[in-house]
Amino acid sequence: MTMPNRAAEFSVSTSTTLASRESYGYFCCILASIFYSVVYALLRLLTGYHVSPEWSIFMLNFIMTLVAMPFFLSLCFAGKIRFPGFACIALFLGGSLSSNFLGVRPILWAYEEIGLAVASPLLQSFQIIIATVLGMLLFRERLTLLKVGTICILIAAVTFLSMSKVSPARDAEAAADSVASLSEVSPAARAGVPGHAGDVSPEHSPGPAVVRNWGKGIFFTFVSGFGMALYVVLLHGALRLAAKHDADGKSDGNASVSPALPQPMVLVLMGLCTVCTFGVFILVTGGHQAFYHNIDPSGWWIILATGTATAVGFFFKADALRYITASKLSLVCVLQVLLLTLMGLTLFGEKANYYIWPGMILTVAGVAAASKTR
């Protein structure tokens, strides 16, 4: 075989491998969206148990850590764990803080200022755009015409889906009551899913009938979108850094080098980061008694199922970020909005208007187009 033929064969083999990896990452991202949608549906069932959003985040991450811990310990005892380095740990901690404090908290304030119908599409739009910009600046990701078109399609899809849940007539008194009492907001909308870009679920959160302050509302929504996008980018950076350490180890002639960040370790690290940060937050703001909630046994089963589903969803999301870009993940995760809308219709008896149909079509088209982006 001549040298040009060998080069051509190597090029085809490399491109095929990269395509298969990206397809696998895309598939993992879809699975993550499905499991996180299940998490939101389960969290909504906790509405009647009167638990705080901070406690919900704390418990879900605690359970996620417990689920992953046996696998993590088995790898440790087998000698298949390497310390990923302080840089990776710092990126994980930064991701946890940005998701839970920059991402979740500001969107609650935005709901009070501009309401659900405006904040929901704005949040998703800001997150997609900011994740794309950060990917370009930090990882030199390309901004192609296909990616721009996909972003526009998905922003339109989220807007239609959000409009499909808006009642044609709002009772001003009921809206005022919902704004005055955040305790009646679904934990899925208030707490979100710990550790995930785009996991604040605004679909079931009440909002004011009248916009109170456009400037504050848009600012808080922007900050929340930035926090969620930054989380995905930091997690992607940690996984890229770990992959580089693995490649350096193999290039030194050690083909059997253990991976620096196997999936159980990713779950444990992110879970512990969130448990520690929110544990301190709960202790400082509410004291040790804030950790205790008298919940019905059925509520504990829901919490256990939600924590397990969170672990599985985060497993697929972290695996997806090993093979696809942070901006592509943010695009595909818009699928959660559609899934949550369908769950609301089928499981919780919600009503939707005709805007749901263009929203569904555009979501499917946008997610399909996202699979072709780089």
Side-chain angles (χ1 to χ4, degrees):
M1 182 180 293
T2 62
M3 184 63 69
N5 289 337
R6 289 182 179 178
E9 182 180 346
F10 176 77
S11 177
V12 171
S13 175
T14 302
S15 61
T16 302
T17 302
L18 291 176
S20 62
R21 288 179 177 178
E22 288 193 359
S23 298
Y24 173 76
Y26 177 77
F27 179 69
C28 286
C29 192
I30 291 179
L31 289 178
S33 298
I34 293 173
F35 275 97
Y36 275 122
S37 299
V38 172
V39 168
Y40 285 133
L42 291 171
L43 279 172
R44 192 179 178 190
L45 296 176
L46 289 174
T47 303
Y49 292 91
H50 305 293
V51 295
S52 68
E54 293 83 9
W55 186 85
S56 298
I57 295 175
F58 175 85
M59 286 303 302
L60 295 185
N61 279 273
F62 181 74
I63 293 173
M64 184 181 77
T65 306
L66 290 181
V67 170
M69 189 63 72
F71 302 98
F72 172 70
L73 293 176
S74 66
L75 291 176
C76 289
F77 291 137
K80 296 182 179 180
I81 286 288
R82 289 192 302 124
F83 184 69
F86 289 105
C88 283
I89 301 297
L91 289 173
F92 270 105
L93 182 59
S96 175
L97 293 174
S98 64
S99 172
N100 293 315
F101 290 102
L102 283 180
V104 174
R105 278 298 165 187
I107 197 59
L108 302 183
W109 299 328
Y111 290 154
E112 295 183 63
E113 300 295 339
I114 58 178
L116 162 68
V118 179
S120 174
L122 273 182
L123 174 63
Q124 296 291 339
S125 303
F126 281 142
Q127 183 179 337
I128 292 173
I129 294 172
I130 294 172
T132 301
V133 172
L134 291 177
M136 293 170 56
L137 295 176
L138 301 177
F139 304 121
R140 298 181 180 179
E141 297 176 5
R142 293 182 299 169
L143 183 62
T144 62
L145 289 177
L146 177 60
K147 182 174 287 187
V148 173
T150 302
I151 291 173
C152 294
I153 291 173
L154 290 174
I155 289 176
V158 171
T159 303
F160 277 117
L161 290 175
S162 177
M163 292 169 62
S164 72
K165 303 181 186 68
V166 179
S167 175
R170 293 275 187 110
D171 187 320
E173 182 179 353
D177 291 341
S178 67
V179 174
S181 179
L182 276 177
S183 62
E184 297 179 3
V185 181
S186 164
R190 298 165 62 205
V193 175
H196 165 53
D199 289 345
V200 177
S201 175
E203 284 72 22
H204 311 298
S205 174
V210 180
V211 173
R212 292 168 55 180
N213 190 309
W214 276 105
K216 286 184 179 180
I218 294 176
F219 174 75
F220 289 144
T221 307
F222 175 82
V223 173
S224 179
F226 176 80
M228 292 298 179
L230 182 61
Y231 155 72
V232 176
V233 170
L234 290 176
L235 179 58
H236 183 55
L239 294 171
R240 281 171 61 103
L241 187 59
K244 183 178 182 300
H245 290 166
D246 295 342
D248 292 341
K250 292 180 180 179
S251 65
D252 293 336
N254 187 5
S256 61
V257 62
S258 300
L261 276 178
Q263 289 299 82
M265 190 173 187
V266 173
L267 290 170
V268 170
L269 283 176
M270 185 57 69
L272 288 178
C273 286
T274 307
V275 166
C276 292
T277 52
F278 268 85
V280 172
F281 181 83
I282 293 173
L283 188 63
V284 171
T285 58
H288 64 86
Q289 65 272 13
F291 288 98
Y292 305 103
H293 288 271
N294 186 19
I295 301 177
D296 189 81
S298 61
W300 283 108
W301 281 111
I302 295 175
I303 293 172
L304 180 61
T306 308
T308 304
T310 301
V312 178
F314 187 73
F315 177 93
F316 284 118
K317 175 161 286 188
D319 219 23
L321 282 174
R322 296 180 188 271
Y323 304 105
I324 63 175
T325 62
S327 59
K328 185 172 182 176
L329 182 139
S330 296
L331 293 173
V332 178
C333 282
V334 174
L335 180 63
Q336 292 180 41
V337 182
L338 173 59
L339 294 175
L340 285 167
T341 301
L342 296 178
M343 286 183 179
L345 294 174
T346 57
L347 301 179
F348 299 105
E350 295 181 353
K351 305 297 181 182
N353 56 35
Y354 58 87
Y355 285 116
I356 190 174
W357 298 110
M360 291 173 61
I361 294 172
L362 289 174
T363 301
V364 174
V367 172
S371 67
K372 304 298 182 183
T373 60
R374 294 290 184 266

